Amino acid sequence: PHWGGGVEAAMSAHSGSSADIQAQRKKALVDRLAGALMGKSLQQDQKLRNAASSAARRGDIAKAKEMYTKAIEEHGKDDKSTLFVPDIYNEMGVLMCRSGRGKEAVVYLNMAVNEGTKIMGDSDRRVVCYEKNLAFAYKTFKQTKKAVSTYKNIVKKYTNGTDDPSNASEASYELASLLNDSKDFKAAEPIARKCLEWKKALRGSDIHTAPVLCLLAAIISAPDIAKFDEALNFATAALKITKSTSESWMGKSKDQETSYISKLIVAIRKGKQQLKRNKKKQKKDVRKKSKDSQSDSKASINTTPSAENLKRIETWKQQKLAAWEAGDEKLRKKCPKRADLDSWMAQQTKKALAALTKDS
């Protein structure tokens, strides 16, 4: 930041009356004094922040927090909303994150975002960096929903027109990764595609594009999307890039990286084969269901007795009822009560219908 113009700048910027020149000289002297005071403040700020960093490296977190707090106080006890305060909160948040203090990390990083937004606006690159650190803290300490929400907010700024493919690609990659881990593949796909677009605009097809290609390949080869041919193209491109350079993108050996991508390609091919088998099985099941439906329909037709057979059965029942009521000795012995007769006739009717169906 530019803190003072100086006498020469004031003189060259204005040519007018003697009174105007005197006023400009006075203003320039005030600016120079303010700049000197600010320079002293910045020197003290840097000294305290260096002391905080040293304490952090020694593992003395309490001392580091004390030094950072004093650095904030150096920027004014009445108004702490100065240009450097958000940076200090950000450094404190990063320190807490590295030290495994999730709650404190989130508190300080939120303060960095809030203070930075007040001073610089929410689209300033530094504010976006604070937000990225906040999202990372949420992710690190398993607050996935908040991490996703924060990364979405960052990505939204770029889709609304902010031109910074570096921050945009990093945030969109982390967001797509989280959505992929959550198995929300349909939401992850457009984010990953946008990430690849930004990454290519920034770096072309170099080693830094390889992880995005792998991520996109993994996302679109999920069963919910099943774009296996395109996924194979992305994974193959990532493998080609990885083999063509000695640089690393996983922080592992070249053999480990190529092995990972090769396994991804195998998994995609297996997924494609499984999809073919599933489609074949579905067609087979549809044909079987149709055939069973036709068989059931035919069986229904065959098991429906004709009107003539129904009439014959009804006539037989009437004859037996009349004989029973007339006191037929043999029938009365078999069916002493009317209920016994009805039950016996029902059984006989069922046998007759079964026999008719079998014959048909």
Side-chain angles (χ1 to χ4, degrees):
H2 184 62
W3 298 107
V7 176
E8 293 79 11
M11 294 294 289
S12 61
H14 182 83
S15 58
S17 65
S18 176
D20 290 334
I21 292 173
Q22 289 297 324
Q24 287 296 328
R25 285 178 175 173
K26 184 177 179 180
K27 182 179 184 302
L29 288 171
V30 171
D31 288 344
R32 179 173 288 182
L33 178 60
L37 292 172
M38 181 57 73
K40 183 179 179 181
S41 177
L42 290 178
Q43 287 175 6
Q44 180 68 3
D45 165 85
Q46 196 59 53
K47 182 179 178 181
L48 290 167
R49 287 163 78 174
N50 287 340
S53 297
S54 298
R57 284 193 295 273
R58 295 194 305 270
D60 190 347
I61 306 301
K63 187 67 175 178
K65 287 174 68 175
E66 179 188 343
M67 293 297 101
Y68 277 130
T69 302
K70 285 184 177 180
I72 291 172
E73 291 172 353
E74 279 297 312
H75 293 291
K77 292 182 174 58
D78 297 327
D79 182 11
K80 294 185 177 61
S81 294
T82 66
L83 187 62
F84 299 97
V85 170
D87 279 342
I88 299 172
Y89 282 133
N90 180 63
E91 288 180 23
M92 293 176 77
V94 171
L95 171 61
M96 295 301 114
C97 192
R98 289 175 177 170
S99 304
R101 302 187 178 196
K103 290 183 179 179
E104 289 178 274
V106 166
V107 168
Y108 287 126
L109 289 168
N110 266 306
M111 292 171 74
V113 172
N114 293 335
E115 291 296 316
T117 300
K118 288 178 187 176
I119 300 167
M120 298 171 276
D122 68 348
S123 294
D124 185 88
R125 291 187 66 178
R126 280 169 295 183
V127 175
V128 174
C129 286
Y130 306 153
E131 285 186 293
K132 281 167 55 183
N133 289 337
L134 175 59
F136 181 80
Y138 282 137
K139 177 185 174 182
T140 302
F141 298 104
K142 308 301 181 185
Q143 298 184 47
T144 305
K145 288 185 178 179
K146 289 184 177 181
V148 168
S149 176
T150 306
Y151 278 126
K152 280 183 176 179
N153 186 49
I154 297 169
V155 172
K156 185 179 179 182
K157 292 178 183 180
Y158 296 110
T159 54
N160 286 344
T162 303
D163 184 20
D164 186 353
S166 177
N167 275 325
S169 62
E170 289 175 23
S172 56
Y173 179 81
E174 293 295 339
L175 175 56
S177 298
L178 283 171
L179 293 170
N180 180 55
D181 293 342
S182 304
K183 300 190 184 305
D184 192 354
F185 304 114
K186 291 184 178 179
E189 181 186 2
I191 301 296
R193 289 186 184 278
K194 196 67 182 175
C195 176
L196 183 60
E197 178 187 327
W198 277 320
K199 187 66 75 174
K200 284 185 174 180
L202 184 68
R203 305 297 299 255
S205 295
D206 69 354
I207 191 65
H208 299 281
T209 312
V212 187
L213 289 167
C214 288
L215 176 61
L216 187 51
I219 290 169
I220 65 175
S221 61
D224 291 4
I225 301 176
K227 297 177 181 176
F228 295 107
D229 290 334
E230 190 179 16
L232 278 172
N233 290 337
F234 286 136
T236 303
L239 184 61
K240 184 178 179 181
I241 292 170
T242 302
K243 286 182 175 180
S244 68
T245 177
S246 59
E247 292 183 76
S248 171
W249 57 270
M250 291 177 68
K252 298 182 179 180
S253 70
K254 188 61 58 178
D255 288 342
Q256 288 175 311
E257 289 179 344
T258 54
S259 175
Y260 166 77
I261 303 174
S262 297
K263 287 178 181 178
L264 176 61
I265 290 173
V266 170
I268 293 169
R269 286 175 176 159
K270 284 183 177 179
K272 185 178 180 179
Q273 292 170 356
Q274 185 62 49
L275 180 65
K276 287 182 178 179
R277 286 194 292 269
N278 290 344
K279 285 183 177 180
K280 190 180 288 186
K281 186 177 182 300
Q282 286 174 357
K283 288 181 179 179
K284 187 177 179 180
D285 290 344
V286 169
R287 286 197 298 268
K288 186 177 183 299
K289 189 175 181 181
S290 177
K291 188 176 180 181
D292 291 345
S293 178
Q294 291 173 1
S295 298
D296 291 343
S297 178
K298 186 176 180 182
S300 177
I301 294 170
N302 289 339
T303 55
T304 303
S306 65
E308 183 182 352
N309 287 332
L310 287 174
K311 186 176 180 181
R312 287 171 61 190
I313 291 170
E314 190 61 32
T315 299
W316 174 82
K317 287 168 69 176
Q318 291 297 327
Q319 289 173 349
K320 292 299 178 184
L321 178 59
W324 186 84
E325 289 177 343
D328 184 284
E329 184 178 347
K330 189 176 179 181
L331 199 55
R332 283 280 183 173
K333 187 177 180 180
K334 185 189 289 289
C335 306
K337 297 180 180 179
R338 172 62 188 271
D340 297 330
L341 177 66
D342 289 340
S343 177
W344 176 74
M345 289 193 296
Q347 290 177 1
Q348 295 303 108
T349 299
K350 187 176 180 180
K351 288 179 182 179
L353 289 172
L356 290 170
T357 302
K358 186 177 180 182
D359 292 341
S360 61

